[in-house]
Amino acid sequence: MTIVSAPGKVLIAGGYLVLERPNPGLVLSTSARFYATVKPLHSISDGASKFWSFIDVRVSSPQMDSERSYKLLLRTCKLDMPSTKKDFVENAIEYGVATALAAANNRDAVYERLLQGLDIEIKGSNDFYSFRNELEARKLPLTAASLASLPQFHAITRNIETSDGTSPEVAKTGLGSSAAMTTAIVAGILEYLGVIQLGSGSVEYLDVVHAASQAAHGHAQGKIGSGFDVSAAVYGSQKYVRFSPGVLSPAMDPVDDNGKPKSLEKAMKSVLDMKNWNSQRSNFALPPMLFLVLGESGRGGSHTPSMVGAVNAWREKHPNAEACWRTLAKANENVEADLLRLKELHETDSEAYTLVLEACSSCAEAKWNGLKDSDKDVVSALLKIRQDFSIVRSLLRQMGEEAKVPLEPGPQSELLDETMELPGVLFAGVPGAGGWDAVFAITIGKNSRRKVEQRWSERSVLTLTVEEDPRGVCVEEKEPTVQDGTGLENQVASILLK
């Protein structure tokens, strides 16, 4: 049995721009993780591989109360199913098996294990999904502690569809659940089949997972996106520059030179052999003593493809679009440089850095300059981050107003402005593509999170239990179990006290 997990993400800078090279995005991986447990479905006798042309696959999701069974044709690595439209799980299975065969050093060993079938169980942390209705039904306050009182891997609340039918089936919080789930399944299959060893720390194995997960996720979406969510699920927190879409073209709807369908194994072999996989990433995480707080606004999710389409139309037609775009790119670069500067100051004098941040965590920004014995360099760096991120927010609002799409809706702006005035808050914003999905804050020190959570709860914003976790995909030693929430309150308490 193999258990693999992959994290969700929060894009704190680079929304929309990250869709185009060479614009970077700053993405944090989170403690919310998807788990894929892969084990044999049945045993087989020696020599059975000579006669079998398919394998059995079973996929279960306790949270969804669902179980599905498939036949996977070994010749094509395709699931035998009537519908040609396959979801993220089905694509992850196909691309995971195809990549295993394409990358295997010992194909016989892979076949031997495949012929025992694949029994896959999927579980996602509660933070991926909205449990606002559940908490309200239990008459619990909208706090992280209330959320943590629910059982782990709780049954998922489904959306009540709106009159125009636009609500997704499952209410989510925007942490990149499809990317994390796809990555966990792909990596779980590759690890189970012995093609990779994530515990070795080899980047080459991560690169194989990344290529297969990007291909599976893109095919399930019907398009090749920026890929930052999958990259974060594989490698963890990072500064990310997207790959050229052509890199994945061979794996989208593969055909040979004669226009006939090409096996998925051969298609993935072409992707793995490519020398021009040109995505760029570098290590990035929050500086010491800075913490991520994420909240669910409860106003209904935004439709990201529609928002991206509106922004693209604005860029094509609005006379000020390119100037705004370039200014926003520069502002994002400044935020990155500011955060790196904080890290440098910590490395230069960690004691002075700690003293300053502890002092700033207990008071609002207006008093930071007046703190006694403060290191002016550290205070100046903190103030510059606030200033530069405020410029990012202003430009996103301008872009949204001109494109007639709510990138930072008015009520969100009011909430974020209030949050910025709280003691110990460095900056706050809307993650990713913006809209109504979520809000985030970066806080200083040990106690600021509580103040943010209290204010958000007063404004009917549910603080999630999630925090930054810079790890990417990894093997887990134990199978995740469903527990009641009593033990989880200690987990949230530890987060709040950090």
Side-chain angles (χ1 to χ4, degrees):
M1 182 171 66
T2 297
I3 307 129
V4 168
S5 71
K9 53 71 190 171
V10 177
L11 185 70
I12 63 170
Y16 295 97
L17 279 79
V18 75
L19 292 167
E20 290 186 357
R21 291 177 53 82
N23 298 317
L26 300 182
V27 56
L28 303 179
S29 54
T30 71
S31 55
R33 301 183 76 87
F34 250 94
Y35 298 82
T37 301
V38 186
K39 57 188 177 182
L41 190 56
H42 48 66
S43 60
I44 60 169
S45 60
D46 293 339
S49 61
K50 295 179 181 178
F51 309 105
W52 288 19
S53 60
F54 63 86
I55 65 167
D56 294 314
V57 180
R58 180 171 66 196
V59 182
S60 59
S61 169
Q63 289 168 290
M64 293 282 195
D65 192 25
S66 73
E67 181 177 298
R68 294 180 280 178
S69 296
Y70 305 93
K71 303 288 186 184
L72 185 141
L73 305 178
L74 290 173
R75 180 176 58 83
T76 61
C77 296
K78 294 284 190 177
L79 296 172
D80 185 19
M81 49 190 293
S83 173
T84 56
K85 177 63 177 175
K86 295 168 183 172
D87 62 21
F88 289 102
V89 172
E90 292 156 350
N91 274 278
I93 293 168
E94 292 184 347
Y95 281 87
V97 172
T99 303
L101 292 171
N105 292 322
N106 186 343
R107 289 173 61 87
D108 288 342
V110 172
Y111 272 115
E112 183 178 349
R113 188 159 281 191
L114 275 174
L115 291 173
Q116 296 179 65
L118 296 173
D119 190 358
I120 304 171
E121 184 179 78
I122 311 162
K123 296 175 182 174
S125 298
N126 288 348
D127 279 311
F128 283 108
Y129 303 103
S130 174
F131 289 101
R132 170 182 292 270
N133 293 341
E134 177 90 9
L135 297 181
E136 291 176 344
R138 296 185 181 205
K139 302 188 185 306
L140 293 173
L142 294 177
T143 63
S146 296
L147 189 60
S149 72
L150 300 178
Q152 273 186 298
F153 312 116
H154 191 44
I156 292 169
T157 304
R158 297 181 181 273
N159 259 343
I160 299 173
E161 191 170 287
T162 56
S163 58
D164 59 2
T166 56
S167 288
E169 180 185 10
V170 175
K172 299 181 182 180
T173 57
L175 286 174
S177 58
S178 63
M181 179 181 67
T182 297
T183 300
I185 295 171
V186 167
I189 290 172
L190 292 170
E191 182 83 20
Y192 170 74
L193 296 176
V195 176
I196 64 172
Q197 293 179 333
L198 292 176
S200 70
S202 169
V203 176
E204 290 183 6
Y205 290 142
L206 292 176
D207 291 344
V208 172
V209 175
H210 181 244
S213 300
Q214 290 284 13
H217 195 257
H219 195 263
Q221 288 186 126
K223 63 182 180 65
I224 300 173
S226 70
F228 78 86
D229 45 2
V230 172
S231 189
V234 175
Y235 301 108
S237 295
Q238 62 191 270
K239 173 186 175 182
Y240 173 80
V241 177
R242 71 160 301 156
F243 53 87
S244 299
V247 171
L248 285 181
S249 295
M252 288 299 98
D253 285 299
V255 294
D256 61 21
D257 294 338
N258 298 318
K260 295 181 179 180
K262 188 178 183 180
S263 79
L264 200 54
E265 177 190 343
K266 291 181 178 178
M268 285 310 302
K269 178 69 172 172
S270 298
V271 171
L272 294 174
D273 288 345
M274 277 192 175
K275 306 300 181 185
N276 62 336
W277 188 273
N278 56 357
S279 61
Q280 300 170 24
R281 59 180 177 80
S282 55
N283 291 335
F284 176 83
L286 290 176
M289 297 183 65
L290 297 189
F291 299 93
L292 170 69
V293 189
L294 194 71
E296 177 204 344
S297 68
R299 294 177 177 266
S302 300
H303 190 241
T304 299
S306 299
M307 296 170 72
V308 171
V311 170
N312 287 338
W314 163 77
R315 287 193 66 196
E316 291 176 3
K317 298 177 181 178
H318 200 282
N320 298 325
E322 284 309 306
C324 180
W325 193 261
R326 289 193 299 271
T327 306
L328 179 57
K330 179 60 179 174
N332 285 326
E333 289 177 11
N334 290 341
V335 170
E336 178 198 357
D338 297 339
L339 291 169
L340 292 175
R341 172 62 176 156
L342 266 188
K343 288 185 179 181
E344 291 173 0
L345 290 168
H346 177 266
E347 292 168 1
T348 301
D349 189 342
S350 60
E351 184 177 353
Y353 175 95
T354 301
L355 289 173
V356 172
L357 266 69
E358 285 180 347
C360 291
S361 70
S362 62
C363 60
E365 173 259 349
K367 296 183 178 180
W368 290 358
N369 266 324
L371 296 172
K372 294 180 180 179
D373 301 323
S374 286
D375 186 304
K376 296 301 181 183
D377 289 340
V378 178
V379 172
S380 295
L382 293 173
L383 292 172
K384 190 171 187 305
I385 293 175
R386 285 177 63 91
Q387 177 184 357
D388 287 336
F389 198 82
S390 294
I391 293 172
V392 170
R393 283 184 56 201
S394 175
L395 290 166
L396 284 172
R397 287 195 299 270
Q398 176 187 335
M399 193 163 76
E401 290 167 2
E402 294 177 356
K404 294 181 171 51
V405 60
L407 303 190
E408 187 183 290
Q412 302 284 65
S413 294
E414 293 176 10
L415 174 65
L416 294 172
D417 289 343
E418 286 182 23
T419 303
M420 290 279 285
E421 296 304 315
L422 294 175
V425 173
L426 185 57
F427 60 90
V430 286
W436 295 104
D437 285 342
V439 291
F440 77 89
I442 303 299
T443 65
I444 303 171
K446 298 178 180 179
N447 300 316
S448 305
R449 179 187 176 100
R450 290 179 178 177
K451 298 165 187 172
V452 171
E453 180 175 354
Q454 181 180 356
R455 179 59 56 87
W456 285 1
S457 182
E458 292 169 357
R459 296 289 299 270
S460 297
V461 173
L462 173 59
T463 304
L464 305 182
T465 66
V466 71
E467 60 180 345
E468 183 195 9
D469 181 347
R471 297 178 303 151
V473 67
C474 65
V475 174
E476 301 286 344
E477 294 183 0
K478 297 180 180 179
E479 187 174 13
T481 56
V482 177
Q483 306 169 345
D484 64 32
T486 54
L488 292 182
E489 292 189 3
N490 293 330
Q491 170 193 336
V492 174
S494 70
I495 291 173
L496 297 179
L497 290 172
K498 280 185 179 179

